[in-house]
Amino acid sequence: MAGTVLVIGSGPNAPVAKDWDAKLFDHIVVINNAWRVRPDWSHVIYPEDFPEDRHPPVMTSGQSVIRYTEYVPQNNAFGGVLFAGGTMAFTAGYWALGALQPDVLAFIGCDMVYPKQGHTHFYGTGAADPLRDDVSLQNLEGKSARLALLAAQVGCACVNLSSAESRLVFPRADVKDLGETRVNIAAAQSDVEALRDAETALGYSAPSGRYWEILDQIDPKELAAIDRRWLELFRRTQSP
C-alpha cells in the first residue's frame, strides 16, 4: 500500500493545496492543468487529446506522465471507463487506486460544480467536461459512490478535502487529519459483486477505453439504473 495519495483537479479551490505539507502525501497526482498548482507533483495524468501546449514544460526526476496507455488498463481492472465515468477525476482515481494501491485517496479541486458567473476553474474559465452530454456521466454522484465502494473493498478510503459544494459523495476530511483516516464503508462484498455482475451482464465492452465507439450498443437507461444502484448501496453504508 502507498499510504496517502492526493489527487488535484482543476476546480476553483485547487490552489488551497499549494501550501500543504508534502510530507502528508506519498504521491501527488495532478489532472490536466493542475500541475500548475504546485511543482512537487509525482504524476500528471491527462487524456490523449490534451493540447501539447498545456503539458508541463519541465519535469524533474521522480515525476511521471500517465497517458491513456497506462490509465485505461487500470480502469479496465475496475470494470472499464464506461462504468467508471468518462471524466478525468474518476479516471485518475481508478488509475491511482490500481497503480499506487493507497490507503487513502484524497481529492481537491474535483467537485465538478461549475459557477454560472466567475471562474469555473482555478486558471480561469474552461469547459465543464463532467457536465457534457455523455452516457457515462449521467449520475456523477453514482459514479463517485462506485469509486468509493470499490476502493473500500481493497482497504482504501476516498475522501474529499474540499469544503465547497460537490458532486463527490466521499466523506469530507481535513488535510491535517489524513493520517487518521480509515475506511468507513461497510458494504458487503456480495452486494458489490452483484453490481459488478450486473455491469458485466450488460455486455458493454470497450477495452480500448473508447466507449463512444460502441454507443449504438449502449442503452442509457440501463446505465442510469446501475448508477442509481451504486448510489443507493453507498447511502445504505452511510446510515447511522
Side-chain angles (χ1 to χ4, degrees):
M1 301 291 279
T4 299
V5 172
L6 175 64
V7 179
I8 306 177
S10 294
N13 60 5
V16 304
K18 179 179 181 294
D19 298 319
W20 287 344
D21 187 348
K23 294 178 182 178
L24 295 171
F25 314 107
D26 295 273
H27 300 280
I28 299 176
V29 179
V30 292
I31 301 171
N32 295 347
N33 297 286
W35 55 267
R36 304 181 194 178
V37 172
R38 53 187 296 160
D40 59 347
W41 49 268
S42 57
H43 304 82
V44 61
I45 182 169
Y46 44 69
E48 56 184 305
D49 60 353
F50 190 59
E52 190 170 345
D53 62 359
R54 298 185 187 178
H55 293 190
V58 177
M59 289 177 54
T60 63
S61 175
Q63 292 182 323
S64 302
V65 177
I66 307 303
R67 297 180 173 85
Y68 74 99
T69 51
E70 295 167 85
Y71 66 66
V72 168
Q74 290 293 351
N75 275 246
N76 285 345
F78 293 97
V81 177
L82 176 64
F83 294 109
T87 194
M88 290 306 294
F90 298 132
T91 294
Y94 282 104
W95 173 81
L97 183 62
L100 303 179
Q101 300 182 355
D103 299 302
V104 178
L105 264 176
F107 292 76
I108 187 69
C110 297
D111 291 317
M112 296 179 281
V113 174
Y114 301 88
K116 294 181 179 179
Q117 296 182 336
H119 290 175
T120 59
H121 296 68
F122 75 88
Y123 53 82
T125 300
D129 180 77
L131 301 190
R132 73 185 190 279
D133 184 14
D134 187 288
V135 71
S136 80
L137 300 172
Q138 299 178 84
N139 187 333
L140 298 177
E141 289 81 3
K143 294 302 188 187
S144 66
R146 182 185 191 273
L147 175 55
L149 285 160
L150 293 185
Q153 293 294 304
V154 293
C156 174
C158 290
V159 298
N160 190 359
L161 297 175
S162 167
S163 59
E165 180 185 357
S166 183
R167 305 296 296 276
L168 299 178
V169 297
F170 310 148
R172 305 284 183 151
D174 191 298
V175 66
K176 69 178 185 302
D177 298 325
L178 286 178
E180 307 302 319
T181 299
R182 300 292 184 270
V183 174
N184 69 344
I185 297 174
Q189 184 176 351
S190 59
D191 289 336
V192 173
E193 290 179 350
L195 278 173
R196 293 292 303 277
D197 289 344
E199 292 176 344
T200 302
L202 293 179
Y204 303 153
S205 178
S208 68
R210 297 176 178 178
Y211 57 89
W212 52 90
E213 295 179 350
I214 63 164
L215 288 179
D216 59 331
Q217 304 173 33
I218 298 171
D219 184 339
K221 293 181 180 178
E222 290 182 330
L223 276 184
I226 292 286
D227 289 340
R228 287 194 299 272
R229 290 176 63 186
W230 281 113
L231 186 55
E232 288 165 1
L233 177 57
F234 177 83
R235 284 173 171 166
R236 289 202 301 272
T237 72
Q238 303 300 295
S239 299

